[in-house]
Amino acid sequence: MAKNAYLQDEQRVTLAEDFLLALQDTKFHNDTTAQEIASEINEHLTTLKAWKEQEAQASRMSDADAVLDACFQGLASHIEAIQRKAFVKGEEHTYNQAKAVQKKLFPKGISAIIELPYKAEAAQTQAFLRDAKDSQVVDFLQAHQLEEWLTLLEASHQDYILALNEFHGSKEERKAVSEQASAARKYLDKTFTRFLRYTRAKYPDGHALAPWRQEHIEAPLERAEAAALAFHKPRTPKK
């Protein structure tokens, strides 16, 4: 049973759900020990699922932030490239246009936008999109076929807002849930072991219900452990 320490959260969740289903069997209805085990599994499973949902929200927020930042970086780099090229070619008018647009859109540099906290970046992006509607900016982007970058930025901003609305909890709250999830993992592993031992003692080999125990208790655990071992199996380096 030491292998339980290697279970991943997905495997723990699946195993917990399998065990809870098994504990709903009528043979456990009047079994106070089994019902106690079911209550413990359900409690720790709820905590672990809350953490997984939090992680999913954080991951989606991070992905949306990366895309939005990439849009800003792409647009800024193209404007800067046009400015440099105009300088090299001595095209003063284009150079001045690019410089003016860059100052209009990024007066404090791109880092002043993309390095802001999530909520502040969302607000700053909204202000940026308003500035981007300036006729001078619109004409410049159209002249240099950069409108697509603005379209991508607008779309990514909408996705960013959706992700931000789903992203709940303060940093302290998320830390607390993470700590609770860490404890839940340990308790789940111990409870899994307890349930296995209990059913082995209740339905030992040779008992009429031993096959049921093997199918509904041991088989799910074996699948979870096999998946865990496969996950941790070192990959053979390519030659």
Side-chain angles (χ1 to χ4, degrees):
M1 295 307 300
K3 293 177 183 177
N4 277 352
Y6 298 107
L7 294 181
Q8 301 297 301
D9 286 341
E10 287 293 341
Q11 296 148 10
R12 284 191 180 90
V13 169
T14 299
L15 185 57
E17 291 174 341
D18 285 341
F19 280 0
L20 285 174
L21 184 61
L23 283 159
Q24 290 176 14
D25 193 280
T26 54
K27 63 176 62 63
F28 290 125
H29 283 183
N30 297 317
D31 188 323
T32 56
T33 299
Q35 292 308 309
E36 179 187 338
I37 291 173
S39 178
E40 290 177 0
I41 291 177
N42 191 57
E43 176 186 353
H44 302 313
L45 175 61
T46 299
T47 299
L48 194 57
K49 282 186 173 181
W51 181 83
K52 283 173 62 60
E53 181 180 354
Q54 173 184 289
E55 284 296 286
Q57 292 172 355
S59 177
R60 170 153 164 64
M61 189 69 248
S62 179
D63 290 345
D65 182 54
V67 172
L68 184 63
D69 289 354
C71 289
F72 275 120
Q73 291 165 341
L75 179 59
S77 64
H78 276 73
I79 294 173
E80 185 177 354
I82 291 170
Q83 185 178 350
R84 288 176 177 174
K85 184 176 181 181
F87 176 78
V88 171
K89 297 178 68 175
E91 297 175 348
E92 185 176 356
H93 179 66
T94 300
Y95 174 83
N96 289 334
Q97 278 186 323
K99 187 175 181 179
V101 168
Q102 189 177 45
K103 185 176 181 179
K104 176 72 174 178
L105 297 179
F106 306 104
K108 297 181 180 179
I110 188 174
S111 61
I113 300 176
I114 66 175
E115 293 182 5
L116 289 172
Y118 290 144
K119 289 185 179 180
E121 184 171 343
Q124 189 60 41
T125 300
Q126 191 64 51
F128 177 94
L129 291 172
R130 287 197 300 268
D131 291 340
K133 293 180 180 179
D134 180 87
S135 59
Q136 182 184 22
V137 175
V138 172
D139 291 344
F140 178 85
L141 296 180
Q142 290 178 345
H144 297 279
Q145 299 180 336
L146 298 180
E147 312 101 303
E148 184 179 6
W149 279 107
L150 196 57
T151 299
L152 290 171
L153 202 151
E154 289 173 336
S156 64
H157 178 243
Q158 292 302 314
D159 187 57
Y160 188 93
I161 293 298
L162 290 175
L164 186 59
N165 289 337
E166 296 172 2
F167 190 58
H168 302 297
S170 65
K171 183 177 180 181
E172 291 73 20
E173 290 171 334
R174 294 195 296 274
K175 180 181 178 182
V177 174
S178 178
E179 292 173 348
Q180 292 166 6
S182 180
R185 293 185 188 98
K186 296 177 182 178
Y187 285 119
L188 275 174
D189 290 345
K190 290 180 180 179
T191 308
F192 292 157
T193 300
R194 180 187 177 192
F195 186 42
L196 179 63
R197 289 174 176 169
Y198 180 69
T199 52
R200 279 179 175 172
K202 191 176 181 70
Y203 310 122
D205 292 342
H207 190 284
L209 292 177
W212 182 92
R213 182 204 77 213
Q214 293 169 350
E215 178 183 354
H216 296 281
I217 310 301
E218 295 189 351
L221 180 60
E222 289 171 358
R223 288 194 295 269
E225 290 180 341
L229 290 174
F231 181 86
H232 286 280
K233 184 179 180 180
R235 297 180 179 180
T236 304
K238 295 181 179 179
K239 295 183 179 180

